[in-house]
């Protein structure tokens, strides 16, 4: 495992992790009263490991089994089990962990204050704070990928279109024209997507340069942090742009095995 960020930070202490097949970072919008985070890893055997900030129990995942997908948000960890149910650990005050009744779920996404679930039939559901409309996903259809930011939710449909709900400042109105999309990721106030030709698109806040991705090519996956963006190129290189605080964009030497 490789990490970029504050050297020695608890959420970066993942050197001993083995047999990891997926990771998730507990993201939080950049503000003067935030900054702590946690990291979650899914092992090949369906168990889960976590490191970092645990004030709300978001790292209490040691007993989880049969997990097939994971997601991490502010003070929260979500997991999809093999039977389509969902488990949650962390802060429950705002209702973003109220996923016990979800069924037939194949993917989850964790924003700061809300959680989104993708059902096997291509519909979506959401719980938590929805004051900006970020939980208004009941009408979504033919969805195959989802993402959640601070105050918005995003989805990619089977025909490559993008659906978005929530705060307009996050660029939800700017994605209507995106086509042939194969992946999407939501940061705090911005969204990035990659299309079938390996091009990357971005919408929303660009105050830290997190949307400066127009020149990227041959990208196979993207990930959005609070105010920075990462792109995995087909040759295994990892590109980064945006907020460079604490070295979070120090990925130039990374090489990732592309499936």
């Amino acid at each position: 495992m490789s990490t970029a960020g504050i050297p020695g930070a608890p959420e970066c202490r993942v050197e001993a992790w083995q047999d990891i097949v997926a990771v998730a970072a507990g993201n939080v919008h950049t503000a003067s009263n935030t900054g702590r985070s946690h990291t979650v890893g899914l092992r090949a055997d369906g168990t889960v490991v976590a490191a970092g900030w645990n004030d709300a129990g978001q790292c209490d995942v040691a007993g989880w089994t049969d997990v097939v997908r994971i997601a991490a948000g502010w003070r929260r960890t979500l997991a999809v089990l093999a039977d389509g149910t969902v488990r949650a650990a962390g802060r429950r005050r705002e209702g973003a962990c109220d996923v016990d009744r979800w069924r037939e779920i194949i993917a989850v996404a964790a924003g700061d204050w809300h959680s989104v679930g993708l059902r096997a039939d291509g519909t979506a559901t959401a719980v938590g704070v929805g004051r900006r409309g970020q939980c208004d996903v009941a009408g979504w259809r033919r969805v195959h990928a989802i993402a959640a930011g601070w105050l918005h939710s995003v989805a990619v449909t089977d025909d490559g279109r993008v659906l978005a709900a929530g705060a307009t400042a996050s660029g939800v109105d700017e994605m209507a024209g995106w086509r042939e999309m194969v992946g999407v990721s939501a940061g705090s106030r911005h969204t990035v997507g990659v299309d079938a030709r390996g091009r990357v698109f971005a919408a929303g806040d660009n105050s830290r340069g997190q949307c400066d991705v127009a020149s990227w090519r041959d990208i196979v996956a993207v990930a959005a942090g609070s105010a920075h963006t990462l792109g995995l190129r087909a040759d295994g290189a990892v590109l980064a742009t945006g907020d460079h605080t604490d070295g979070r964009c120090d990925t130039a030497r990374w090489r990732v095995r592309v499936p």
Side-chain angles (χ1 to χ4, degrees):
M1 290 284 296
S2 297
T3 62
I6 302 174
E11 63 269 25
C12 291
R13 295 173 184 167
V14 299
E15 299 87 353
W17 290 6
Q18 300 292 326
D19 300 320
I20 301 297
V21 296
V23 292
N27 200 16
V28 61
H29 66 278
T30 300
S32 60
N33 63 338
T34 64
R36 292 180 171 181
S37 63
H38 70 295
T39 305
V40 184
L42 172 60
R43 297 191 184 102
D45 65 359
T47 61
V48 182
V49 63
W53 191 33
N54 194 36
D55 77 317
Q58 60 265 41
C59 290
D60 296 342
V61 299
W64 290 4
T65 59
D66 297 321
V67 176
V68 295
R69 300 288 290 272
I70 54 173
W74 183 61
R75 298 188 180 186
R76 183 169 73 266
T77 301
L78 303 176
V80 180
L81 306 189
D83 64 0
T85 60
V86 180
R87 296 194 66 169
R91 180 177 169 120
R92 294 188 171 271
R93 188 179 306 170
E94 293 80 22
C97 284
D98 295 344
V99 298
D100 296 341
R101 296 184 179 181
W102 287 4
R103 296 293 183 270
E104 299 182 357
I105 300 296
I106 59 174
V108 286
D112 277 21
W113 305 96
H114 72 296
S115 301
V116 184
L118 172 59
R119 300 189 185 97
D121 65 0
T123 61
T125 184
V127 293
V129 176
R131 295 170 188 165
R132 298 294 184 90
Q134 61 264 48
C135 291
D136 296 342
V137 302
W140 290 0
R141 297 291 183 271
R142 298 178 59 194
V143 173
H144 79 84
I146 53 174
W150 177 27
L151 298 172
H152 70 298
S153 302
V154 188
V156 178
T157 64
D158 290 340
D159 60 359
R161 295 180 299 111
V162 175
L163 307 176
T168 56
S170 302
V172 297
D173 295 332
E174 302 174 41
M175 295 174 265
W178 291 6
R179 293 292 184 271
E180 298 182 354
M181 306 307 290
V182 295
V184 69
S185 183
S188 289
R189 299 178 178 90
H190 76 294
T191 303
V192 291
V194 58
D195 73 3
R197 288 184 278 178
R199 300 176 302 174
V200 181
F201 298 80
D205 177 39
N206 193 34
S207 58
R208 307 291 181 91
Q210 59 266 49
C211 291
D212 294 341
V213 297
S215 64
W216 290 5
R217 293 293 183 271
D218 299 321
I219 302 299
V220 296
V222 290
S226 62
H228 72 294
T229 301
L230 303 177
L232 174 61
R233 208 164 56 193
D235 63 2
V238 178
L239 308 183
T241 187
D243 185 4
H244 200 281
T245 304
D246 304 322
R248 66 193 68 181
C249 289
D250 291 343
T251 63
R253 297 183 179 180
W254 288 11
R255 287 298 179 271
V256 177
R257 183 180 300 172
V258 178

